[in-house]
């Protein structure tokens, strides 16, 4: 990897957390990886939560979920902010004895523990136009700091040890003053029939000064050694997308490319997690890392039939909602 790329990875992972601020803030660093062939995946998240006007209640949160077929193993632990470090000039986040940096992640929650290493030769992927990462809009920011991260190491759950070898996923960095009001988020780090293709897509509704927007869709695709950034603000409104529990379709088009996609999973593939909102209250995150994705691609400079890409069970699929178990059937943990 070039030195310039290493510096870029470090910079996008610098913490934005200001401990003395009263505005309210969250920031998370998460890694996810999928088994090369089986329906297995992990998701691990290191987070700081700072409620608005109550900096004395700032804390760290450590999350772990392992997906094994249709069995899901979630865990969470909270830490006093005094036990946490979120450096602003280098990337080495600590929650007690647990840590994540640009090459390793270690941690333990009761009988669950992990020791992972990872590498990536890909440049960061910016879901938003880069000028929007500075300033108040939108209130939630997201970067894929290390796409196509390749993981090794192990997970332990009680007496069970899971060896991680050549699992592929990503390392990601999210932050903001409040969570997006309602969204579906998807990510594929290599399709089954196109391992070098990376997809990052969101369909969301925002509440701007009391007015709810229609569904807005943002998409970034790296395919055939080209980067397609369908994420400019004017495209948010022309890109199409809609979702329910648990099926999502989207469609985007430019002069260079036409895309149609579908992401779906069964209810058994989701775990329900409660995300505290810095501005007050909480959101329910329905989280799967073993969803399926179908993507039809027509590049204008390519003749012939559209390309049909698929991922049987390596797609990340999250839904953020205010609705409870009575609406979607997923138990909300923690």
């Amino acid at each position: 990897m070039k030195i310039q790329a290493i510096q870029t990875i470090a910079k996008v992972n610098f913490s934005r957390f200001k401990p003395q601020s009263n505005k309210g803030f969250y920031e998370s660093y998460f890694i996810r990886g999928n088994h090369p062939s089986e329906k297995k995946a992990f998701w691990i998240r290191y987070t700081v939560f700072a409620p608005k006007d109550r900096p004395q209640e700032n804390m760290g949160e450590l999350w772990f979920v392992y997906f094994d077929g249709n069995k899901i193993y979630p865990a969470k632990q909270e830490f006093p902010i005094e036990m946490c470090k979120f450096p602003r000039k280098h990337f080495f986040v600590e929650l007690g004895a647990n840590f994540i940096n640009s090459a390793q992640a270690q941690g333990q929650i009761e009988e669950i523990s992990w020791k992972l290493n990872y590498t990536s030769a890909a440049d960061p992927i910016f879901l938003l136009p880069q000028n929007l990462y500075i300033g108040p809009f939108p209130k939630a920011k997201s970067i894929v700091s290390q796409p196509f991260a390749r993981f090794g190491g192990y997970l332990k759950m009680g007496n069970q040890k899971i060896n991680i070898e050549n699992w592929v996923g990503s390392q990601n960095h999210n932050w903001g003053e409040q969570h997006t009001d309602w969204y579906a988020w998807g990510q594929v780090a290599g399709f089954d029939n196109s391992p070098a293709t990376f997809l990052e897509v969101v369909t969301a509704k925002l509440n701007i000064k009391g007015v709810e927007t229609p569904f807005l869709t943002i998409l970034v695709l790296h395919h055939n050694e080209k980067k397609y950034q369908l994420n400019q603000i004017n495209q948010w409104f022309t890109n199409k997308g809609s979702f329910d529990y648990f099926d999502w379709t989207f469609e985007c088009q430019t002069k260079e490319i036409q895309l149609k996609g579908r992401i779906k999973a069964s209810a058994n593939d989701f775990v329900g997690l409660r995300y505290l909102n810095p501005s007050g209250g909480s959101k329910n995150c329905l989280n799967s890392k073993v969803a399926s994705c179908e993507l039809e691609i027509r590049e204008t400079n390519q003749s012939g039939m559209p390309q049909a890409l698929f991922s049987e069970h390596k797609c990340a699929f999250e839904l953020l909602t205010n609705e409870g178990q009575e609406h979607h059937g997923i138990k909300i943990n923690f």
Side-chain angles (χ1 to χ4, degrees), residues 131-330:
N131 64 301
L132 293 185
Y133 287 91
I134 300 174
F137 178 82
K139 293 185 180 295
K141 324 284 188 184
S142 176
I143 298 174
V144 188
S145 304
Q146 296 189 71
F148 291 116
R150 198 168 294 272
F151 292 88
Y154 64 82
L155 315 173
K156 284 185 178 179
M157 297 187 298
N159 295 325
Q160 182 184 11
K161 183 177 181 180
I162 301 153
N163 291 314
I164 305 298
E165 183 177 356
N166 207 31
W167 292 34
V168 177
S170 59
Q171 182 260 310
N172 305 261
H173 183 197
N174 305 327
W175 71 91
E177 294 182 8
Q178 69 180 50
H179 292 295
T180 302
D181 295 283
W182 191 24
Y183 71 64
W185 169 78
Q187 185 188 92
V188 180
F191 287 79
D192 294 354
N193 60 341
S194 186
T197 298
F198 195 100
L199 172 69
E200 179 90 353
V201 58
V202 168
T203 294
K205 285 188 177 183
L206 307 179
N207 192 307
I208 302 175
K209 295 183 178 181
V211 178
E212 186 179 81
T213 70
F215 279 125
L216 310 175
T217 296
I218 311 172
L219 183 146
V220 178
L221 179 74
H222 289 197
H223 179 64
N224 284 345
E225 299 184 352
K226 296 181 181 179
K227 298 180 181 180
Y228 295 101
Q229 306 281 132
L230 290 84
N231 64 351
Q232 299 302 308
I233 291 180
N234 64 306
Q235 294 174 308
W236 298 9
F237 296 88
T238 56
N239 296 337
K240 299 177 182 178
S242 62
F243 59 86
D244 56 20
Y245 306 120
F246 301 98
D247 200 339
W248 172 20
T249 58
F250 50 89
E251 184 174 346
C252 308
Q253 180 176 335
T254 69
K255 293 180 180 179
E256 297 179 306
I257 193 169
Q258 298 177 15
L259 297 168
K260 292 182 180 180
R262 183 179 186 183
I263 294 174
K264 63 179 181 177
S266 70
N268 291 334
D269 293 326
F270 286 88
V271 61
L273 307 173
R274 179 172 288 106
Y275 286 178
L276 297 174
N277 209 3
S279 57
S282 63
K283 298 283 186 177
N284 293 328
C285 178
L286 311 182
N287 184 324
S288 177
K289 297 296 173 282
V290 289
S292 68
C293 179
E294 300 171 357
L295 190 65
E296 181 182 290
I297 302 174
R298 182 186 292 274
E299 296 174 284
T300 54
N301 63 348
Q302 300 288 331
S303 59
M305 297 292 291
Q307 300 172 68
L309 276 55
F310 67 91
S311 176
E312 184 178 359
H313 46 62
K314 296 179 185 177
C315 177
F317 184 11
E318 293 183 11
L319 295 162
L320 199 72
T321 177
N322 291 324
E323 296 180 336
Q325 183 174 353
E326 66 275 13
H327 293 276
H328 45 69
I330 307 299

Side-chain angles (χ1 to χ4, degrees), residues 24-28 45 48-49 140 174-179 278:
F25 188 76
Y26 76 91
E27 185 169 30
S28 69
R45 183 175 184 252
V48 61
F49 173 72
N174 305 327
W175 71 91
E177 294 182 8
Q178 69 180 50
H179 292 295

